[in-house]
């Protein structure tokens, strides 16, 4: 199928590909579980896919994962990718006090900076848990020294998201008057609705043309699209192989068509130009400013 603007991989608006480096049982099933070794080999599958496409990405690495596998952080860096933070313990923000979040962010930032030997200033909250009721977290991000964020899901869902939040990268005013650059994940406007297409279950379940259209729509408006992937999504049989009590409902919700994720990521990377979020920051000072009420 022929596509117009943004679909020629060599030109068009650059988009961002991001990976949340974590282990499925600890991040999704139970935060008190130890990490399994699976995230290491799964992350290498992502690195192989990116290498095939000669594409660099932003890796939001969980502190626990960096502690468990410091070599993985070095592998990601030596392949030319960007290392940023997914927090330390994958606790959702509404489960934390501001002081606990500050401690979690500080710990993950220092840990990654020591391993990477460079500044860590980008963040994605576990479970997109910066919502209308946790906007205070933006102030904590600024205090700890983060410059950009990719935690506000621009569609309200049962678990997260802010209805009507900008669906394009913007400067975001924090409640106390600070500012961060915000990178919402990609959505697609269809039949008067905004559909999340940048990753997760939507990325598996929607027809591919909706994912492609989401990227095209944003690019036509002059905006980059941000997609997100998880290493465990590159392990389609993992849920069946885990020796853990996982309900059939959870298996269905988390596992249905998981094998599509690497195929779809492959296809998007073929069709569009992608890179790390840091490459989009050059012109960020000129972006429109927004503040949630
Ligand atoms: Zn996560």
């Amino acid at each position: 199928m022929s596509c117009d603007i943004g679909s020629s991989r060599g030109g068009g608006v650059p988009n961002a590909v991001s990976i949340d480096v974590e282990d499925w049982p600890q991040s999704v099933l139970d935060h008190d579980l130890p990490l399994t070794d699976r995230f290491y080999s799964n992350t290498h599958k992502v690195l192989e896919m990116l290498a095939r496409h000669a594409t660099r990405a932003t890796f939001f690495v969980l502190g626990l994962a960096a502690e468990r596998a410091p070599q993985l952080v070095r592998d990601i860096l030596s392949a030319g990718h960007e290392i940023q933070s997914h927090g330390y313990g994958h606790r959702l923000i509404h489960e934390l006090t501001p002081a606990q979040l500050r401690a979690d962010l500080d710990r993950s930032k220092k840990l990654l900076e020591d391993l990477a030997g460079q500044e860590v200033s980008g963040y994605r909250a576990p479970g997109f848990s910066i919502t209308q009721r946790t906007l205070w977290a933006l102030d904590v991000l600024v205090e700890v020294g983060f410059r950009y964020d990719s935690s506000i899901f621009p569609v309200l869902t049962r678990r997260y998201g802010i209805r009507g939040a900008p669906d394009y990268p913007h400067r975001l005013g924090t409640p106390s008057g600070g500012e961060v650059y915000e990178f919402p994940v990609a959505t697609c406007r269809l039949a008067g609705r905004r559909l999340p297409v940048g990753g997760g279950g939507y990325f598996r379940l929607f027809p591919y043309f909706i994912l492609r259209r989401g990227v095209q729509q944003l690019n036509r408006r002059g905006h980059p699209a941000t997609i997100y992937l998880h290493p465990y999504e590159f392990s389609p049989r993992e849920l069946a192989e885990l020796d853990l009590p996982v309900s059939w409902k959870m298996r269905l919700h988390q596992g249905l068509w998981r094998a599509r994720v690497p195929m779809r990521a492959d296809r998007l990377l073929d069709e569009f130009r992608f890179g790390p979020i840091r490459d989009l920051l050059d012109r960020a000072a000129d972006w429109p400013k927004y503040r949630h009420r």
Side-chain angles (χ1 to χ4, degrees):
M1 184 191 280
S2 74
C3 305
D4 45 15
I5 217 165
S7 58
S8 146
R9 197 176 178 273
V13 179
N15 300 291
V17 55
S18 58
I19 294 93
D20 297 351
V21 178
E22 61 191 35
D23 190 45
W24 186 85
Q26 191 274 335
S27 291
V28 182
L29 199 60
D30 181 351
H31 294 155
D32 291 324
L33 284 172
L35 273 66
T36 73
D37 288 332
R38 289 172 177 268
F39 76 93
Y40 188 88
S41 51
N42 291 340
T43 304
H44 271 278
K45 290 180 192 165
V46 181
L47 288 169
E48 283 159 23
M49 177 194 70
L50 292 166
R52 279 200 307 280
H53 290 275
T55 294
R56 289 178 180 166
T58 296
F59 285 72
F60 292 106
V61 182
L62 191 68
L64 282 172
E67 233 168 37
R68 170 90 179 225
Q71 183 57 41
L72 186 61
V73 174
R74 291 189 276 270
D75 295 344
I76 294 168
L77 269 180
S78 67
H81 302 291
E82 177 184 16
I83 294 280
Q84 299 293 0
S85 168
H86 194 35
Y88 180 79
H90 214 273
R91 303 277 166 185
L92 303 176
I93 288 181
H94 52 259
E95 297 170 355
L96 302 174
T97 63
Q100 287 170 328
L101 176 63
R102 195 173 295 112
D104 179 284
L105 290 174
D106 236 350
R107 189 173 181 184
S108 83
K109 190 174 191 292
K110 290 202 174 87
L111 174 66
L112 290 171
E113 286 177 345
D114 283 349
L115 283 172
Q118 52 187 241
E119 194 192 3
V120 166
S121 59
Y123 175 68
R124 173 167 295 139
F128 294 104
S129 55
I130 300 188
T131 62
Q132 194 73 50
R133 67 183 169 121
T134 54
L135 288 171
W136 53 264
L138 296 169
D139 283 323
V140 181
L141 283 179
V142 172
E143 274 171 42
V144 177
F146 285 95
R147 282 176 67 217
Y148 84 75
D149 175 63
S150 183
S151 310
I152 296 182
F153 204 78
V155 176
L156 182 63
T157 71
R158 201 166 45 82
R159 287 179 298 138
Y160 46 71
I162 297 182
R163 191 192 306 278
D167 59 353
Y168 49 85
H170 53 282
R171 290 157 55 215
L172 179 59
T174 72
S176 294
E179 186 175 294
V180 290
Y181 301 122
E182 180 65 31
F183 290 85
V185 295
T187 57
C188 178
R189 297 176 183 186
L190 196 71
R193 295 188 58 189
R194 205 187 264 187
L195 304 176
V197 296
Y202 319 97
F203 198 85
R204 287 184 272 130
L205 303 177
F206 287 150
Y208 178 78
F209 81 89
I210 295 183
L211 312 187
R212 177 201 279 133
R213 190 178 295 181
V215 179
Q216 284 174 327
Q217 283 177 353
L218 282 158
N219 289 176
R220 283 196 185 110
R221 290 158 56 208
H223 303 304
T226 300
I227 65 166
Y228 66 101
L229 304 164
H230 298 93
Y232 58 74
E233 293 172 311
F234 285 65
S235 179
R237 296 213 28 82
E238 181 167 311
L239 285 176
E241 291 163 1
L242 284 171
D243 190 17
L244 288 166
V246 182
S247 69
W248 67 267
K249 223 171 155 181
M250 181 73 117
R251 280 181 206 275
L252 190 69
H253 176 252
Q254 290 282 315
L256 186 64
W257 286 332
R258 192 182 267 194
R260 279 182 173 181
V261 173
M263 290 191 281
R264 290 176 161 203
D266 241 343
R267 206 164 157 191
L268 280 177
L269 293 181
D270 252 346
E271 291 191 38
F272 297 90
R273 188 175 144 211
F274 279 92
I277 290 177
R278 68 174 174 221
D279 286 3
L280 305 176
L281 286 168
D282 289 353
R283 287 164 49 209
D286 299 329
W287 289 347
K289 184 154 180 178
Y290 187 85
R291 198 168 160 190
H292 293 281
R293 301 282 158 217

